[in-house]
Amino acid sequence: MTPGEIALASGNFTPVTQFILLGFSEYADLQTLFFFIFLLIYAMTVLGNMGMMTLIYIDSRLHSPMYFFLSILSFLDICYSSVVTPRLLVNFLTTDKSISFAGCVIQLTFFVIHVTTESFLLAVMAYDRFMAICQPLHYSSVMTKVTCLQLVAASYGFGGANSIIHTGNVFVLPFCGPNEITHYFCDVPPLLRLACADTATAGNILYIFSALDTLLPASVILISYSLILVTIGRMRSATGREKALSTCASHFLAIAIFYGTVIFTYVQPHGNENGRNGQIVSVFYTIIIPMLNPFIYSLRNKEVKNALRRRLQAYIFPR
């Protein structure tokens, strides 16, 4: 039985009105150090992604579907990092690590929306690269502005639907006993461990929909990149192969890190039972990856580096 079920069975309980976020609290002597480390990471996340969005907006040579999707990715990285990180920074500096029941619902809702949307957007970006490399003659007629907006809207639609499912799946359960979450934000697996009811069905729903929301986009990505690699292998021009590989390498690296950590956390038959391991892995996709994405895409992308060089030259040596 879970601690919540024991409390419910004993009849000695009161409904939970707030939760206590215990993430990283076991490292009491390192709270200040952690604060400055995560503050630096968050500042780099916001500045890096805002810089990427601004560069794409002001440089006309980056006004293409690939960079439009990249700007949306940067926006999503800022959003779901901001759902989690500021609250974590506050908890490093205060002894009161509580979050209200409503605040926990809101945090989980917006986190799932943005992380699911990013999962599907990465699949959209893979499809965009497939069309550009494998179907170049049809690319401009297929990947129109309207199509790009529809694909982004569809990604957000999946994010919203998944958020409703997971948030409802968790908070339809009674919480009447222990309220200490062994995590640094309100996430589904640690919340299920606190519920005062049998969570087998809720755990299965988490597993099934997490699998669908990761494996379906991952399948699109794998099929797209398999066809891309076949097309690149048939190219006669070494320059063409190098350019095609360079535009895909950064995307594939970001995908591998993102999906690897998400699948480890959620796509397990009984969830991640080890709270400490769960929160350490979660740091990668909630805090580290949003910081890394703008650097991955800029440092490995010649067009982005050239655009940044042009902007800096125009600023330093104005005509």
Side-chain angles (χ1 to χ4, degrees):
M1 297 178 69
T2 66
E5 288 178 291
I6 295 172
L8 183 64
S10 67
N12 183 22
F13 65 86
T14 55
V16 169
T17 59
Q18 65 179 15
F19 294 99
I20 310 298
L21 298 172
L22 297 180
F24 300 107
S25 59
E26 63 269 33
Y27 306 106
D29 297 336
L30 300 175
Q31 297 295 292
T32 302
L33 176 62
F34 282 162
F35 170 81
F36 286 108
I37 291 174
F38 284 102
L39 178 62
L40 177 61
I41 292 172
Y42 183 61
M44 293 173 66
T45 298
V46 174
L47 293 175
N49 283 288
M50 288 189 65
M52 180 67 74
M53 293 168 62
T54 303
L55 182 63
I56 292 171
Y57 177 78
I58 64 177
D59 195 294
S60 60
R61 299 186 190 183
L62 300 182
H63 291 178
S64 66
M66 180 176 76
Y67 294 107
F68 168 71
F69 293 133
L70 181 55
S71 68
I72 301 298
L73 179 68
S74 293
F75 174 74
L76 288 170
D77 283 338
I78 292 174
C79 286
Y80 82 77
S81 178
S82 296
V83 170
V84 173
T85 311
R87 179 73 213 189
L88 174 61
L89 292 174
V90 171
N91 286 349
F92 282 139
L93 298 181
T94 63
T95 56
D96 181 10
K97 303 181 185 298
S98 63
I99 181 172
S100 68
F101 190 93
C104 193
V105 174
I106 292 170
Q107 187 181 57
L108 179 61
T109 298
F110 282 95
F111 173 75
V112 176
I113 287 174
H114 291 107
V115 77
T116 304
T117 302
E118 177 153 332
S119 178
F120 281 92
L121 184 69
L122 290 172
V124 168
M125 294 173 71
Y127 173 73
D128 172 73
R129 290 300 82 209
F130 161 75
M131 289 299 303
I133 295 172
C134 302
Q135 304 289 334
L137 298 180
H138 302 286
Y139 181 71
S140 58
S141 61
V142 174
M143 300 302 293
T144 63
K145 289 183 179 180
V146 173
T147 301
C148 292
L149 290 173
Q150 289 174 338
L151 290 171
V152 171
S155 298
Y156 265 102
F158 282 115
N162 194 44
S163 179
I164 291 172
I165 291 169
H166 284 301
T167 305
N169 180 42
V170 171
F171 290 106
V172 73
L173 297 170
F175 291 89
C176 53
N179 65 341
E180 294 183 342
I181 300 176
T182 56
H183 213 331
Y184 57 90
F185 73 101
C186 292
D187 200 8
V188 178
L191 282 168
L192 289 181
R193 289 194 285 269
L194 296 181
C196 301
D198 183 5
T199 59
T201 300
N204 289 333
I205 291 174
L206 170 65
Y207 172 69
I208 292 170
F209 282 94
S210 296
L212 289 174
D213 292 326
T214 53
L215 299 182
L216 282 179
S219 297
V220 173
I221 292 167
L222 290 175
I223 293 171
S224 297
Y225 275 101
S226 296
L227 295 173
I228 287 171
L229 290 175
V230 171
T231 301
I232 291 175
R234 293 174 178 173
M235 290 180 178
R236 296 182 179 180
S237 170
T239 303
R241 287 197 299 270
E242 182 181 354
K243 182 178 180 180
L245 286 171
S246 66
T247 58
C248 295
S250 55
H251 184 208
F252 197 77
L253 177 61
I255 287 168
I257 299 173
F258 178 84
Y259 280 104
T261 53
V262 169
I263 289 173
F264 179 87
T265 303
Y266 299 106
V267 188
Q268 301 182 49
H270 301 289
N272 191 343
E273 299 294 339
N274 191 317
R276 180 175 295 183
N277 287 346
Q279 73 177 11
I280 292 173
V281 173
S282 296
V283 166
F284 282 92
Y285 72 88
T286 61
I287 298 174
I288 303 298
I289 291 177
M291 177 196 69
L292 290 179
N293 275 344
F295 295 100
I296 291 173
Y297 283 100
S298 61
L299 294 177
R300 297 187 61 86
N301 190 300
K302 291 182 179 180
E303 291 182 344
V304 172
K305 288 190 289 187
N306 289 337
L308 180 60
R309 189 178 299 111
R310 289 193 297 270
R311 292 299 103 192
L312 291 175
Q313 289 176 345
Y315 178 77
I316 297 173
F317 304 107
R319 294 181 180 179

